[in-house]
């Protein structure tokens, strides 16, 4: 992509409304634009990152055996009345009526709708277990939306729902999602710690929030420092096997959100030098809620003996759009964003340091064509801005590799390759740069 043809409205000044780093940098880097309180337009650079995150989430859900579908954003209020949550959910729910006076709501979550879909088609235990997920926009009417995409009103979320015959099966489903979440966030360059948590309006008696430690987080958290060094399962993990050893390894080390924190246990189990009390950003949460929805909504299946039983369920959410903010909070410096390669909008940016010069123009054009032909996502800064402005913009938007092409280096047959993550630089030939990027 040539920058001269790309829509990248970079801001020179820090926006006054931005309270935290991720919000400030997303606005400055031209990733989003606020259209209303807590509601954002996703501009091309931001959308590229959003799609990368969405795809990683999708791949790990598929790997764990979940099946993708797509449910609508609008839901019938009567479904929520069946579960008893319509009046209990509170003012965060956006309630509307269509021209025929039918009561609708803009879905904040989808337990009722997925249960309605399940009960319409699944009648026997032979069709279990089942895990269905979608990636869809949600709306929660936050009283005070702030921190950009970290606490918006409209947001993109992956929510999965498992259906099993009994509690034992449901807990196996819970474990699969637990492991899938560890892998999902690790692939994005995040250390997300599973912490015991309240179930809130979702319900049930078992839940873990996946927390990225950050002082700008909205939740107080407590954990043993050893949890930061636990290994994340590899891509060859057997989701059909016994995942209990992995779950025990992660849950035997103290980690809890403030709502369920046990101060006495924390002091008893965790040595003083290993106690971590900080804040964190929630990027996902998983729940086992048993028959909370299946019983009132009559989601029943015939068991092995022919008797009808209410299925046991769980739900599993990932804040896809929120993750952009979380990644930036974890990966930035004073100059701007430092994207992990897996989610970066482009892998490399070519900086032509003397636009209009036949030598630098020709070298940049050839490198751009070769990288593009090899499938490398590259942004070519072919604008006529001065070199300093190009350096600042490249650091701000955080592309992992910067390829600097200037007259001095070309005279020696070299390009300068800068790694954004740590600032290291190398002088390489065009062939070596190409080999490094592929």
């Amino acid at each position: 992509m040539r920058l001269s043809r790309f829509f990248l409205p970079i801001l020179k000044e820090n926006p006054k409304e931005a309270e935290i780093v991720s919000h400030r940098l997303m606005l400055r880097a031209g990733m989003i634009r606020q259209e209303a309180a807590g509601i954002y337009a996703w501009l091309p650079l931001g959308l590229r990152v959003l799609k990368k995150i969405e795809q990683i989430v999708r791949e790990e859900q598929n790997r764990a055996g979940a099946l993708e579908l797509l449910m609508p954003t609008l839901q019938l209020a009567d479904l929520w009345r069946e579960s008893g949550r319509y009046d209990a959910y509170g003012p965060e729910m956006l309630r509307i009526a269509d021209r025929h006076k039918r009561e609708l709501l803009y879905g904040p979550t989808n337990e009722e709708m997925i249960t309605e879909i399940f009960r319409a088609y699944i009648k026997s235990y032979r069709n279990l277990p089942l895990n269905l997920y979608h990636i869809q926009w949600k709306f929660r009417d936050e009283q005070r939306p702030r921190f950009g995409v970290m606490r918006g009103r409209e947001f993109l979320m992956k929510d999965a729902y498992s259906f099993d015959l009994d509690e034992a099966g449901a807990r196996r489903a819970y474990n699969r999602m637990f492991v899938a979440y560890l892998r999902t966030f690790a692939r994005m360059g995040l250390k997300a710690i599973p912490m015991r948590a309240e179930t809130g309006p979702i319900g049930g008696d078992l839940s873990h929030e996946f927390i990225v430690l950050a002082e700008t987080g909205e939740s107080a958290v407590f954990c043993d420092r050893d949890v930061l060094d636990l290994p994340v399962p590899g891509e060859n993990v057997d989701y059909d096997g016994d995942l209990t050893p992995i779950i025990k390894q992660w849950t035997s080390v103290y980690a809890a959100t403030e709502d369920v924190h046990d101060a006495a246990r924390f002091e008893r189990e965790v040595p003083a030098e290993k106690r971590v009390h900080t804040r964190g950003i929630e990027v996902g949460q998983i729940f086992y809620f048993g028959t909370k929805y299946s019983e009132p909504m009559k989601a029943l299946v015939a068991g092995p003996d022919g008797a009808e039983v209410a299925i046991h369920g769980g739900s599993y959410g990932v804040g896809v759009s929120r993750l952009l903010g979380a990644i930036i909070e974890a990966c930035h410096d004073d100059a701007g964003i430092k994207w992990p390669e897996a989610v970066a909008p482009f892998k490399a940016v070519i900086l032509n340091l003397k636009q209009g010069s036949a030598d630098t123009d020709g070298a940049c054009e050839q490198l751009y064509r070769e990288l593009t032909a090899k499938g490398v996502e590259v942004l070519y800064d072919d604008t006529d801005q001065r070199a300093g402005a190009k350096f600042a913009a490249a650091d701000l938007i955080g592309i992992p590799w910067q390829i600097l092409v200037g007259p001095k280096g070309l005279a020696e047959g070299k390009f300068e390759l800068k790694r954004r993550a740590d600032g290291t630089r190398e002088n390489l030939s065009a062939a070596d740069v190409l080999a490094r990027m592929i």
Side-chain angles (χ1 to χ4, degrees):
M1 175 61 65
R2 297 175 187 273
L3 185 56
S4 60
R5 300 177 185 174
F6 195 59
F7 180 52
L8 186 63
I10 287 177
L11 303 179
K12 293 183 179 180
E13 303 296 329
N14 286 325
K16 293 180 180 179
E17 70 271 25
E19 299 180 44
I20 61 172
V21 168
S22 58
H23 190 195
R24 181 168 67 249
L25 290 177
M26 289 184 76
L27 289 171
R28 283 200 59 214
M31 300 180 69
I32 56 172
R33 175 177 172 79
Q34 182 171 311
E35 298 299 331
I39 300 174
Y40 295 89
W42 290 82
L43 305 182
L45 191 75
L47 186 61
R48 290 180 71 95
V49 181
L50 188 68
K51 291 298 183 182
K52 294 285 185 68
I53 292 172
E54 179 182 333
Q55 185 58 27
I56 290 174
V57 171
R58 176 176 289 111
E59 289 171 4
E60 293 303 324
Q61 288 295 288
N62 294 345
R63 190 193 302 275
L67 301 171
E68 187 173 10
L69 47 66
L70 185 62
M71 290 176 276
T73 56
L74 295 179
Q75 304 180 33
L76 289 172
D78 286 345
L79 278 178
W80 284 64
R81 290 195 175 97
E82 282 190 55
S83 70
R85 285 208 302 173
Y86 185 71
D87 294 320
Y89 200 87
E92 289 77 21
M93 182 188 290
L94 180 62
R95 304 160 202 259
I96 56 181
D98 66 15
R99 68 174 65 194
H100 302 293
K101 309 302 180 185
R102 283 185 292 250
E103 293 180 279
L104 303 168
L105 58 99
Y106 193 129
T109 183
N110 279 75
E111 281 81 8
E112 284 79 6
M113 181 170 284
I114 198 67
T115 302
E116 187 269 338
I117 292 172
F118 174 89
R119 73 184 180 188
Y121 299 108
I122 305 300
K123 306 299 182 184
S124 169
Y125 78 97
R126 298 181 186 278
N127 300 118
L128 301 177
L130 183 65
N131 190 321
L132 301 171
Y133 79 96
H134 74 160
I135 300 174
Q136 180 61 288
W137 290 96
K138 312 283 189 188
F139 189 92
R140 294 176 188 166
D141 198 3
E142 295 277 355
Q143 183 175 9
R144 191 186 175 198
R146 54 201 295 244
F147 301 158
V149 299
M150 297 277 284
R151 191 187 290 179
R153 293 194 294 166
E154 184 183 57
F155 53 94
L156 187 63
M157 182 175 174
K158 186 285 301 183
D159 39 328
Y161 303 93
S162 63
F163 302 89
D164 287 272
L165 182 64
D166 53 27
E167 180 177 343
R171 289 183 180 268
R172 286 193 293 272
Y174 187 95
N175 290 348
R176 284 194 290 272
M177 289 294 101
F178 190 109
V179 171
Y181 277 34
L182 291 175
R183 286 191 41 76
T184 296
F185 301 125
R187 283 186 60 186
M188 299 176 192
L190 293 175
K191 188 68 174 183
I193 304 169
M195 298 191 174
R196 291 183 297 107
E198 281 281 4
T199 58
I202 300 296
D205 62 0
L206 175 62
S207 179
H208 284 86
E209 287 184 10
F210 286 74
I211 299 288
V212 176
L213 301 185
E215 288 298 330
T216 51
E218 59 192 344
S219 307
V221 295
F222 302 80
C223 68
D224 185 325
R225 193 173 300 279
D226 287 348
V227 77
L228 300 173
D229 299 320
L230 292 177
V232 173
E235 65 179 19
N236 61 344
V237 61
D238 181 9
Y239 282 104
D240 293 322
D242 183 10
L243 299 175
T244 305
I246 298 173
I247 307 303
K248 284 185 175 179
Q249 183 181 35
W250 281 87
T251 57
S252 62
V253 181
Y254 192 96
T257 63
E258 186 174 32
D259 292 336
V260 297
H261 173 57
D262 183 336
R265 179 186 166 193
F266 187 55
E267 294 183 5
R268 183 174 64 251
E269 294 183 3
V270 183
E273 67 275 12
K274 292 185 177 182
R275 293 175 195 158
V276 176
H277 174 204
T278 184
R279 304 194 70 79
I281 301 166
E282 178 200 340
V283 291
Q285 188 167 8
I286 59 178
F287 306 83
Y288 161 66
F289 46 66
T291 59
K292 174 179 171 62
Y293 299 92
S294 59
E295 285 187 347
M297 296 185 68
K298 301 295 188 290
L300 310 176
V301 297
D305 60 359
E308 286 191 330
V309 295
I311 59 94
H312 285 247
S315 66
Y316 317 92
V318 169
V320 177
S321 53
R322 166 182 276 242
L323 272 163
L324 275 85
I327 293 170
I328 293 172
E329 291 292 331
C331 306
H332 72 274
D333 60 16
D334 291 342
I337 304 166
K338 299 194 289 187
W339 291 116
E341 281 195 33
V343 298
F346 298 92
K347 182 173 184 176
V349 56
I350 299 172
L351 304 182
N352 188 337
L353 304 185
K354 194 172 182 181
Q355 189 70 34
S357 166
D359 290 344
T360 56
D361 286 0
C364 288
E365 288 288 344
Q366 182 175 347
L367 182 61
Y368 175 65
R369 287 194 300 269
E370 290 177 343
L371 286 172
T372 301
K374 295 293 185 180
V376 178
E377 293 181 309
V378 58
L379 180 66
Y380 172 24
D381 189 343
D382 59 345
T383 66
D384 58 3
Q385 293 190 87
R386 58 184 177 81
K390 292 188 176 187
F391 296 152
D395 283 347
L396 173 63
I397 64 178
I399 295 173
W401 297 97
Q402 299 175 14
I403 305 168
L404 284 59
V405 183
K408 184 177 179 181
L410 282 180
E412 301 174 358
K414 300 289 186 180
F415 296 157
E416 185 174 356
L417 182 65
K418 174 185 172 183
R419 188 174 183 227
R420 177 70 180 95
D422 57 14
T424 56
R425 297 170 182 260
E426 297 178 83
N427 291 314
L428 302 172
S429 67
D432 288 340
V433 168
L434 190 64
R436 184 74 63 86
M437 292 298 101
I438 297 174

